[in-house]
Amino acid sequence: MDGDVAAKSGKDQLFSVLIVTLAIGAVVGLLMLMFGYGSSLLSNPKDDSEDDEEDEKTKKDKNSKSKQNQVTKKQLKALAMKESKQQGNKKHNFDHPLLVTSLKEHSQNILNFDFSINGKYLASCSEDRTVRLWSIKDFKEKQHKTMRGNVEYDHATRVKFSPDCKAYIVSLANGNCIRVYKIGKKEDGSAGISPAVEFEKKTDNDIIGIGVGSGSHGNFIMSAYNNTTIHIWDTRGELLSTIDTHQMSHNHAAVSPCGRFVASCGFTPDVKIFEVVFDKSGGFKEVKRAMDLKGHKASVYHFSFNLDSSRVATVSKDGTWKLWDTNVEFHKNQDPYLLFTGNHDYTMHSLIALSADAHAVAIASGISVSVYSIQSEAPEEKFNEVHAAVISQIGFDPSGRYLVTAGDKHLRVFHNVVGYRASIMEMEQKLKAATSEPMKERLELQIKQARETLDEILGNTSPEP
């Protein structure tokens, strides 16, 4: 009996060992499968090669798709730029019955322009690092020849002719100083432009206005900054005087066409006018306050002199523009006279231009222009969406025939019909008051010629061959 029990016990132990062995083998096999052992024994080498080829193909496909995506992005960007350029060109396609021409030589936005005092040339400066000189007599021609001056390593933000029209000055965007260029002849006899002198940078504040003054006793150059500082220089770049206008900040500053005064406007509701004084030998003497234009109720955005500096037009944040008589004896403390106040609905930053004879006023606001006679409440002409960008400069040429604007990379030239009408009205009033026959005959002839010119512009008659 004991033997049977012992045999049975041995069988149970053998069965247990077998079960444990099988269990361990199963666990080991499972581990081998999990960690990939023996995969090479179970797989076909050919299958591995095919898998490698498929992986390589997948990688190539992914790379190809990535490159295609990159090309697509570039194409989309180029297409977007092209579309944007086309839209910009569409916006530039401005037309108006009074538009004389568009000057299109600049490749980037025009920031400023100036007329020569002799009425022959217009200088324009652009972000394209050039200054171009245009002939005003060619405005009516189909082709517009220009003389190009390069601004090395920078671009000009403002440009002003010298009184003798043999040079011009610019303010530099990066250099934040003044550079003088001479207009002359090259060795081969052709006309050329070359830099002459660059002034020292005196402040980090941005230049907002420049000008050239010339009188019977002395010459000077002005630079004004966006704080309250104005510098007066001699023509060689030596600093003569520093003015603090106490206007909190400047919006605009300019030298009067007569070359005698420097004026500024800014945050305060006035325009301050200073006289630059030289002694009889031509030496600089002083800068002194001449007069103030007071009457606006808010910041003055901009102002403009007429050709002989006897009138000044101002435009303000208060929604009005004003015309002033500055032909006063300021040495005897006589104040300027306010001649007219007009309303201007646009209360954002605006620019104003007064014609040479003070008969017409043009106000640029945003991308549009309104033209008034000096006694009209409402604008007599409006030019809407003149430029694709905000108008940066506006002005009448010295003859009073044209109004010019800049805003994008084009200059727009308009007939000044408001000025013609105002001139005719003034001459008709003089004719009524005239007593001598020679005076009457001269006025009648001038009125006839002005009417013929106006009719030709407006298309009422055919121009003479």
Side-chain angles (χ1 to χ4, degrees), residues 19 55 78 131-132 137 162 164 168 182 195 200 301 309-310 335 340 348 390 400 465:
I19 294 298
D55 290 342
V131 172
R132 291 189 177 272
K137 70 177 183 180
S162 64
D164 61 6
Y168 63 81
K182 286 187 177 181
E200 181 183 356
Y301 287 138
S309 307
S310 64
D335 294 326
F340 184 80
M348 300 299 287
V390 173

Side-chain angles (χ1 to χ4, degrees), residues 7-21:
K8 186 177 180 182
S9 176
K11 290 180 180 179
D12 291 340
Q13 290 177 355
L14 181 60
F15 181 74
S16 299
V17 171
L18 181 60
I19 294 298
V20 171
T21 301

